[in-house]
């Protein structure tokens, strides 16, 4: 039976799914364009055509999850967030959805990227991106108070979400409790900026 040809986008998604499976089952160190080609059942030139190098493959993998989370937050905020508490709940739920679904692979991809000299600052870049995303998401509900929040306050919000997400992944905290704590911290840290 002849296989149907995939569109470029579908092939890329398939390759990223396969890359995530390799990282989840064998670790990021096992992920190369060659092992990806073998696992995906394609030729090496196909993987190189999509990603150029292992570095670009890791970048695509980590960005995929960040984009998924951003889209999830936007969708939730559009439909459910009518006030600060609602926005905080949407952000907490979205963050934990992403963490539970992709956290181990995401962390491994980011750690592997950090080994490249040009990506040694990736953790700071990620932190700044999430702080900006939280500010954009919560800002409309803060009545101008978001301008009073120091960068340290946004970093604290990110730290709360990140560490409670890790606790859920590690089995140290039930997801529902982590979600409630993230939302509560977001409300407390934004309503009391001083």
């Amino acid at each position: 039976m002849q296989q149907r040809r995939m569109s470029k986008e579908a092939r890329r998604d398939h390759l990223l799914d396969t890359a995530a499976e390799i990282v989840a089952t064998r670790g990021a160190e096992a992920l190369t364009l060659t092992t990806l080609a073998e696992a995906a059942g394609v030729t090496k030139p196909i993987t190189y055509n999509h990603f150029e190098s292992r570095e670009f493959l890791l970048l695509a993998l980590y960005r995929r999850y960040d984009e998924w989370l951003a889209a999830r937050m936007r969708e939730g905020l559009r439909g459910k967030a009518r006030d600060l508490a609602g926005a905080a709940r949407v952000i907490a739920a979205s963050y934990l959805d992403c963490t539970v679904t992709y956290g181990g692979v995401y962390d491994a991809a980011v750690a592997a990227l950090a080994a490249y000299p040009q990506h040694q600052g990736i953790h700071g870049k990620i932190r700044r991106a999430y702080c900006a995303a939280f500010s954009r998401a919560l800002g409309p509900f803060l009545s101008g108070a978001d301008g009073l929040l120091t960068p340290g306050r946004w970093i604290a919000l990110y730290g709360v979400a990140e560490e409670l997400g890790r606790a859920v992944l590690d089995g140290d905290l039930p997801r529902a409790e982590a979600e409630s704590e993230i939302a509560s911290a977001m409300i407390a840290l934004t309503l009391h900026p001083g």
Side-chain angles (χ1 to χ4, degrees):
M1 180 194 261
Q2 193 175 15
Q3 279 190 332
R4 229 173 57 144
R5 195 170 159 97
M6 288 186 188
S7 70
K8 187 167 180 143
E9 185 177 323
R11 172 70 67 199
R12 181 180 172 85
D13 285 342
H14 171 69
L15 291 171
L16 286 171
D17 289 343
T18 304
E21 182 63 28
I22 291 168
V23 172
T25 58
R26 301 189 313 196
E29 62 280 351
L31 181 62
T32 66
L33 293 179
T34 301
T35 59
L36 175 59
E38 291 167 358
V42 300
T43 62
K44 283 196 299 187
I46 290 175
T47 60
Y48 280 90
N49 182 43
H50 283 276
F51 303 109
E52 188 179 321
S53 69
R54 179 177 186 266
E55 174 189 356
F56 288 113
L57 171 58
L58 290 165
L59 277 168
L61 199 55
Y62 118 78
R63 286 179 177 151
R64 181 187 208 197
Y65 302 137
D66 280 351
E67 289 165 6
W68 183 87
L69 174 57
R72 187 94 175 204
M73 281 177 27
R74 279 191 307 274
E75 178 185 312
L77 289 167
R78 207 174 310 124
K80 299 175 187 155
R82 294 180 180 19
D83 57 15
L84 179 62
R89 284 191 298 274
V90 165
I91 293 168
S94 299
Y95 196 89
L96 288 173
D97 286 345
C98 190
T99 299
V100 168
T101 306
Y102 303 116
V105 172
Y106 180 88
D107 287 346
V110 169
L113 273 171
Y116 291 90
Q118 62 273 29
H119 297 293
Q120 288 180 348
I122 193 166
H123 295 287
K125 180 180 178 181
I126 292 168
R127 182 182 60 247
R128 287 185 294 277
Y130 278 106
C131 288
F134 292 165
S135 175
R136 282 190 306 275
L138 296 174
F141 304 102
L142 296 177
S143 303
D146 62 325
L148 302 174
L149 294 176
T150 64
R153 191 61 61 105
W154 292 114
I155 292 169
L157 290 173
Y158 169 71
V160 167
E162 184 68 7
E163 287 307 311
L164 289 173
R166 285 187 195 288
V168 171
L169 275 183
D170 294 343
D172 295 335
L173 196 64
R175 183 208 158 108
E177 183 177 345
E179 191 171 318
S180 175
E181 291 298 333
I182 292 169
S184 295
M186 287 187 167
I187 294 165
L189 289 169
T190 55
L191 285 182
H192 306 290

